[in-house]
Amino acid sequence: MKISYNWLKQFLKIDWEAEKTGELLTDLGLEVEGIETVESIKGSLEGVVIGKVLTCIQHPNADRLKVTTVDLGNGTPVQIVCGAPNVAAGQTVPVATIGTILYDDKGEGFKIKKGKIRGEESHGMICAEDELGLGSSHDGIMVLDENIPAGTVASEVFNIEKDQVFEIGLTPNRADAMSHLGTARDLRAGLIQQGISLELISPSVSDFHVDDRTLKFDVIVEDSDKAPRYAGVTISDITVKDSPEWLQNRLKAIGLTPINNIVDATNYVLHELGQPLHAFDASKVKGNKVIVKTLPTGTKFTTLDEVERELHEEDLMICNGNEEPMCLAGVFGGLNSGVSENTTSIFLESAYFNPVSIRKTAKRHALNTDASFRFERGIDPAITKYALKRAANLILEVAGGKVSSEIDDLYPTKFEDFQVFLSYEKMDRLIGAEIPRETVKNILASLDIKFNSVTDGGIGLTIPAYRVDVTREADVIEEILRVYGYNNVEFSHKLNTSISFSEFDDVKIENVISNQLVSQGFNETMANSLTKADYISLSEMLNEEHNVSMLNPLSNDLGVMRQSLLFSGLESVVYNINRKNNALKFFEFGKTYHKFESGYKEQKHLTLFVSGSRTKERWNVNQKTSDFFYLKGIVIGLLNRLGITKLKTTPTKNDIFSEGITLSLGKIKLVDLGVVKRSINKEFGIKQEVLFADFNWENVLKVGGKSKIKVEDLSKFQPVKRDFALLIDKEVTFNEIYNLAFQAEKNLLKEVDLFDVYEGDKLEKGKKSYAVSFLLQDENRTLNDKQIDKVMQKLQQTFEKNVGATLR
């Protein structure tokens, strides 16, 4: 949110430097993220002075140029070559002197230098209005009032305004501060704590009056739940044109583009008081009626951005007497009812709309406007009529005209202020210090909070309705503390704490594992727990019925809580690949969320993502692509770090992998790891192989560090390892190979591992190559070649018979 300091000073006559004011606003909770200097004319016409043209003769070497001598008020006339057709002796003109920087409409500057033009020296430039940024005309130089003395600084003649603008990072709860009035109100409270008492000057509407009643509209509110308060008035005989310079400067300072005097006036009051308004062309309001209602789903409506939208039955609309929509209430105006250059009379609207209704409509139609931003958070229902009068007076000032109807103010159920009792005891306990009671009362009074009753134990309070975030005792205490100043609360230098003994702390384990991964070149990621509902279609292991859906999602991409950490991780992978970062190693500690018949369930996971080169590209390092066994080594190393050994390896049942295994400890499943399916990668636009490991972190914590160390004799008989390179159909999985191997040999076979997969154009179509290792061992004797060959022959025959495998 942008707040103009010059504008703020209309409410408080403060003479502090902007930096000091910014510090106080930040202490009050309105964090100032930056202060920008804004000029109504870039450069503030520095170096431009008023000159008197003494002589003007034809340039000897150019038909379209003149040679002039100009008095700049310093006693020494200068020669300036000028190409303007209207330059003449005796004129009073603006002159950019040597060294002056002028800016074009794109903000790019050029410096005025001494030079020669077609052989004649030129010591400056006589300017047209577009060259100074004072207009768009370039027909000739500006000719000014002859009574202006030579040497007068141009910034004084043209009233150049310099402002400082605060960029405030407003938190969503502070709806009351979304205006210059709201910010001034907070600043005044903070100044009182500094011993400075200033009057809060709000715009007067005492001179508002109705000129006649020649343009009366009937106002009907059919849905008072969505529009608790609605007011309107008509203004006739206006002239739509550009706004005066002072109004344009105010809007430009806070980043708004002036449109015309009517629209600018409503925008001005919006940012001045925080009350959104809307002006309708009265001639386009059919039937002289304004009806606030909802319309059937599917009704067509074209908004100001020329987009035709389909309305929802819950969208609140401003309609005419024919019940045709003119405006999405509180969100966006209609194309066919707005103010144009031909408008001569308007219906001016000021209202309080239900925040939930406005938010749903804005999100439903993907619209975010200054008006909806304020209505969604809750504006002050008490200033609806006051803001309408303020805007009407301003329109009369800048556009002429007359008020041609009484104000219709439909407010059937008045908003009540909040009633809260503040207990001194609870306040002291929450703050951790005792603030003087008189100071507390002064702070509350400075915040427009009224006292109902005062006792030794506390105060009964009435909170103004515009403070929608202050409804509880704790909220009042927070208000007191932020105005009092967190830095002013004294605290003890003694720290009391209790230390609990834990053999195996969960946070400590995460830190141990994180440090090990970082030392291996991994980067930690933190993805959003909200994700796309469509992702569940990528795996049969995920179920749409288990989705935890958002009731009012911000977008379709954030519609459900994630059931898997895979897809948010792949979003990070593709983001980095698209930015030429191909050596990827990520890890994330996060949760998955499921909805079951028995209730909602959260489960903690640790996931690893590896893709591309193992190391970043360097001249002295041979690049090696990450593969399945690289990831497997990292996973086993992490588990071993936690004392988890004797792992059981089985083929994974998770269908997100083209090839993968599951590591378990007994019957407790710890981690799935493998190569992510190409079809899933394709959905994200990933062309390179991605390796993924998914730890069930809750199971890891159950067994990690708790397994007893067992000592047993090493076998006296060494194991034997043999490999097969099997050529098989693409449909055959490692799971089938694994099970067939143990069915064929149950006694001597100890382990079966897949250490390479090859698919390429050198193989037959529909084929792939598996490199599989087999670990054989007899606990009672040494295996000889005959026994080993017999087992391997049995395995080969089993694979040939059951899956049609052949040895490469």
Side-chain angles (χ1 to χ4, degrees), residues 46 185 225 327 351 423 543 573 578 618 693 759 802:
E46 186 175 347
R185 204 160 40 202
D225 289 334
C327 176
S423 165
N543 193 327
V573 169
N578 289 341
R618 292 186 179 88
E759 296 181 43
N802 291 278

Coordinates of all heavy atoms in Angstrom, one line a residue, residues 46 185 225 327 351 423 543 573 578 618 693 759 802:
E46 N 14.9 21.2 -12.5 CA 16.2 21.8 -11.9 C 17.1 22.2 -13.1 O 17.3 21.5 -14.0 CB 16.9 20.8 -11.0 CG 18.1 21.3 -10.3 CD 18.7 20.3 -9.4 OE1 18.1 19.3 -9.1 OE2 19.8 20.6 -8.9
R185 N -4.7 8.2 11.5 CA -5.3 7.9 12.8 C -4.3 7.1 13.7 O -4.1 7.4 14.9 CB -6.5 7.0 12.6 CG -7.6 7.1 13.6 CD -8.9 6.6 13.1 NE -8.8 5.5 12.1 CZ -9.8 5.3 11.2 NH1 -10.8 6.0 11.1 NH2 -9.6 4.2 10.4
D225 N -28.5 -8.9 3.2 CA -27.5 -9.7 3.8 C -26.1 -9.4 3.1 O -25.1 -9.3 3.7 CB -27.8 -11.2 3.8 CG -28.9 -11.5 4.8 OD1 -29.1 -10.8 5.8 OD2 -29.6 -12.5 4.5
C327 N -23.2 -3.5 -12.9 CA -21.9 -3.5 -12.1 C -21.9 -4.7 -11.2 O -22.9 -5.1 -10.6 CB -21.8 -2.2 -11.3 SG -20.4 -2.1 -10.2
A351 N -21.4 2.2 -0.5 CA -22.0 1.1 0.1 C -21.1 0.3 1.1 O -19.9 0.5 1.0 CB -22.6 0.2 -0.9
S423 N -9.3 -6.9 31.4 CA -8.8 -7.2 32.8 C -7.3 -6.8 32.9 O -6.5 -7.2 32.1 CB -8.9 -8.7 33.0 OG -8.2 -9.1 34.2
N543 N -6.0 -41.5 -4.4 CA -7.5 -41.7 -4.5 C -8.1 -40.3 -4.4 O -7.9 -39.6 -3.4 CB -8.0 -42.6 -3.4 CG -9.4 -43.1 -3.7 OD1 -10.2 -42.3 -4.2 ND2 -9.7 -44.3 -3.4
V573 N 12.0 -29.3 -9.6 CA 13.0 -29.8 -10.6 C 12.9 -29.2 -11.9 O 13.9 -28.7 -12.5 CB 12.8 -31.4 -10.7 CG1 13.6 -31.9 -11.9 CG2 13.2 -32.1 -9.4
N578 N 14.7 -25.6 -16.3 CA 14.4 -24.5 -17.3 C 15.4 -23.3 -17.1 O 15.4 -22.5 -18.0 CB 13.0 -24.0 -17.1 CG 12.0 -25.0 -17.5 OD1 12.3 -25.9 -18.3 ND2 10.7 -24.9 -17.1
R618 N 32.7 -28.6 -13.6 CA 34.0 -28.0 -13.3 C 35.1 -28.6 -14.3 O 34.9 -29.7 -14.8 CB 34.5 -28.3 -11.9 CG 33.6 -27.6 -10.9 CD 34.2 -27.8 -9.5 NE 33.4 -27.1 -8.4 CZ 32.4 -27.7 -7.8 NH1 32.0 -28.9 -8.1 NH2 31.7 -27.1 -6.9
A693 N 13.3 -40.7 -3.8 CA 13.2 -41.5 -2.7 C 12.2 -40.9 -1.7 O 12.2 -39.7 -1.5 CB 14.5 -41.6 -2.0
E759 N 17.9 -49.3 -22.3 CA 16.9 -49.3 -23.4 C 17.4 -48.4 -24.5 O 17.6 -47.2 -24.2 CB 15.5 -48.8 -22.9 CG 14.9 -49.6 -21.8 CD 13.5 -49.1 -21.4 OE1 12.8 -48.6 -22.2 OE2 13.2 -49.1 -20.2
N802 N 9.9 -68.5 -17.9 CA 8.8 -67.8 -17.3 C 8.6 -66.4 -18.0 O 7.5 -65.9 -18.1 CB 8.9 -67.6 -15.8 CG 8.7 -68.9 -15.1 OD1 7.5 -69.3 -14.8 ND2 9.8 -69.6 -14.8

